[in-house]
Amino acid sequence: EPDDTSGRFRRRFTLESERAARELADRLVTAARRDGTPGIRRELEEVLGTRRTIAPTLAQFAERFLDEYCRARNRPAVIEQRRIHLRVHWIPYLGELPLDRITEEHLIRYRRDKLAGLDGQRLAASTLQSHFRTLSKLYHCARDWGVIGRDAGPAIRLPRQARLPEIGDQWLRPDEEQRLVEFLLGLPVTDPRRYWTAPVLLALRTGLRQGEIRALRHRDLYYYGDTLMVRVCRSAGNRSHLFFATKDEDERVVPVSACARWELERLGFGRPRDSSRGESAEDLLWPGSRGPELAQCKNRMNRAFRELLAAAGITRRLTWHGLRHTFGTRLAHKYGDLRVVQSLLGHSSLKTTEIYLHVAPTAAMEAVNCLDDYADARQGAIIPWRGDDRQTKGGPSPAINSPR
């Protein structure tokens, strides 16, 4: 309200007690002596709850997000991916803006420029979705930690979910699989390539990922009756290096078929650990030659696998993950129960498992022929016809809507 004596405005507000009013008056006097009018304004804003905090920039909060949130919750591969998203893409584009000043218009321009490749690097829609997912998680943490208000920042709408990638020809055909297995089992003991035979066969017969194979320890192999079981753990490593094997939070147990067990036992896989050689239950099955584990040899595994394919006479370019695709494809085509396939492969979503139902021409023909067998069993009158002869049991071929 206006003050008639000084021509200035005064603001009236009520405190809970006379003591609180005296304490506020002392604070205002002290602030006036120290900073003048700006000090009084700051004290009043703090008391009235209208003081506006300055939000950090995207570049400033990104480092805290990576160090405090991602390091405690995510796998090293995910941490590295989010670090690239922020440092290579988001920070050069919006890093100088405070978190509460970034709007949806900025995000629309970012998506448009990245799709068009205006900065020299054209990104796919699926890659952009992972970029926006990282930014969405960053804003979620900023709001939960009180760095910005609940309503501050843009409403991040993730782009439409990209279609799951198709496997294509990234799996071994039956003749190629047989050729590779025969080559691996025929390698002499002195051949240095024999080091990779058991990991390749295990990936081919169980569908384990690269990280899961690198994380296997002696204690993860055990027998349930006559069946060899492989326990897939969430993490492995030693005291100086810890890496996460599975993509989700769960562990799973994968049985090994009798034929695959025979193949692996021929290579010495699954044997009891030798304590005389210093082997412990916590030791990794395949220690690397340049370190205590094979955790950082992903490219080396792919290179060794391509060399084995070339030596077996397979000229197609495949990666190690093609062994997992081969296992999933065989299992989906021969068994058919997607829930079982999902459990063995360790997929968190059934939609991911459905990519292994890519239909081959032979699988489609077998599915159609099943209808003939079903009709023959139910009606007892229809026999699968060969060539142009249509026959029925006990009579000549009927006329079936033949074109005139």
Side-chain angles (χ1 to χ4, degrees):
E1 60 183 11
D3 186 356
D4 297 334
T5 59
S6 61
R8 298 178 181 178
F9 281 81
R10 293 184 300 176
R11 182 167 184 176
R12 295 180 181 272
F13 52 91
T14 304
L15 299 178
E16 60 273 12
S17 63
E18 182 180 356
R19 179 179 179 182
R22 292 182 180 277
E23 291 179 355
L24 176 59
D26 295 339
R27 291 172 56 183
L28 293 177
V29 171
T30 304
R33 292 175 178 174
R34 184 178 63 248
D35 300 324
T37 303
I40 297 176
R41 184 179 294 110
R42 284 196 301 269
E43 291 292 337
L44 290 176
E45 288 177 350
E46 184 174 349
V47 172
L48 297 175
T50 59
R51 184 173 182 179
R52 183 177 179 273
T53 59
I54 301 176
T57 63
L58 177 62
Q60 294 171 346
F61 187 73
E63 297 300 325
R64 180 183 174 186
F65 170 72
L66 292 172
D67 291 339
E68 298 183 15
Y69 179 85
C70 296
R71 190 180 297 274
R73 295 173 178 262
N74 299 133
R75 297 179 293 117
V78 177
I79 296 175
E80 182 62 24
Q81 183 186 52
R82 288 181 169 173
R83 181 179 289 111
I84 293 174
H85 291 170
L86 293 171
R87 293 182 178 177
V88 178
H89 298 280
W90 283 114
I91 291 178
Y93 201 90
L94 300 172
E96 297 180 357
L97 293 177
L99 290 178
D100 55 354
R101 297 292 180 88
I102 297 177
T103 63
E104 294 184 26
E105 184 180 357
H106 292 104
L107 304 185
I108 293 174
R109 289 204 302 263
Y110 176 86
R111 186 174 188 274
R112 180 199 61 195
D113 294 347
K114 292 297 182 179
L115 287 175
L118 297 182
D119 58 349
Q121 185 179 4
R122 187 174 182 178
L123 300 180
S126 57
T127 305
L128 270 179
Q129 181 160 354
S130 62
H131 285 200
F132 278 89
R133 190 178 294 112
T134 298
L135 187 68
S136 176
K137 183 59 68 175
L138 182 143
Y139 267 97
H140 181 75
C141 291
R143 295 185 181 105
D144 283 351
W145 295 348
V147 176
I148 58 176
R150 286 290 176 182
D151 299 330
I156 301 176
R157 298 178 178 87
L158 295 178
R160 180 182 298 179
Q161 176 69 34
R163 294 180 59 186
L164 291 173
E166 297 182 356
I167 296 177
D169 61 347
Q170 293 298 309
W171 55 287
L172 293 171
R173 303 186 185 96
D175 58 326
E176 295 173 335
E177 180 182 352
Q178 182 179 359
R179 201 184 316 162
L180 176 62
V181 172
E182 291 177 354
F183 172 76
L184 294 176
L185 296 178
L187 285 175
V189 180
T190 56
D191 195 320
R193 293 175 296 184
R194 189 179 174 87
Y195 176 85
W196 299 99
T197 53
V200 169
L201 275 178
L202 184 65
L204 183 62
R205 302 308 190 193
T206 61
L208 268 63
R209 303 180 180 94
Q210 284 182 268
E212 295 168 348
I213 289 180
R214 296 197 301 264
L216 283 179
R217 306 175 183 178
H218 286 281
R219 64 175 175 83
D220 297 327
L221 304 179
Y222 64 95
Y223 284 90
Y224 183 77
D226 294 334
T227 305
L228 176 62
M229 311 295 287
V230 181
R231 182 187 297 107
V232 183
C233 297
R234 179 173 179 265
S235 61
N238 55 14
R239 295 180 180 178
S240 61
H241 180 74
L242 178 69
F243 64 95
F244 292 84
T246 59
K247 295 180 70 174
D248 49 16
E249 298 293 328
D250 299 328
E251 299 180 357
R252 70 182 191 278
V253 176
V254 181
V256 180
S257 65
C259 181
R261 171 190 169 185
W262 175 81
E263 294 171 348
L264 292 169
E265 287 179 347
R266 282 188 58 184
L267 301 173
F269 181 83
R271 61 173 175 78
R273 62 181 183 274
D274 189 357
S275 57
S276 62
R277 299 170 55 182
E279 294 179 350
S280 171
E282 300 298 323
D283 290 343
L284 296 173
L285 281 175
W286 292 290
S289 57
R290 294 179 297 175
E293 67 277 318
L294 206 60
Q296 302 182 18
C297 299
K298 180 178 180 179
N299 294 332
R300 183 185 173 195
M301 293 176 72
N302 284 322
R303 185 167 57 250
F305 177 60
R306 294 193 186 102
E307 293 175 357
L308 292 176
L309 290 178
I314 302 173
T315 57
R316 291 195 299 127
R317 184 176 179 84
L318 298 173
T319 62
W320 189 285
H321 204 70
L323 298 171
R324 177 176 171 84
H325 288 330
T326 303
F327 174 79
T329 302
R330 297 279 188 272
L331 199 61
H333 283 181
K334 291 182 177 296
Y335 191 73
D337 190 341
L338 284 186
R339 289 295 180 183
V340 177
V341 180
Q342 177 189 8
S343 175
L344 292 175
L345 291 175
H347 290 157
S348 58
S349 173
L350 194 62
K351 289 185 177 180
T352 308
T353 313
E354 291 176 355
I355 66 175
Y356 293 100
L357 290 180
H358 52 92
V359 180
T362 55
M365 185 61 67
E366 292 175 0
V368 173
N369 288 337
C370 288
L371 298 178
D372 295 337
D373 299 337
Y374 171 77
D376 186 28
R378 289 291 300 271
Q379 299 177 5
I382 300 178
I383 299 177
W385 50 276
R386 300 175 178 83
D388 295 332
D389 298 332
R390 300 174 186 262
Q391 298 179 356
T392 58
K393 294 182 179 179
S397 174
I400 307 178
N401 297 330
S402 57
R404 297 179 181 177

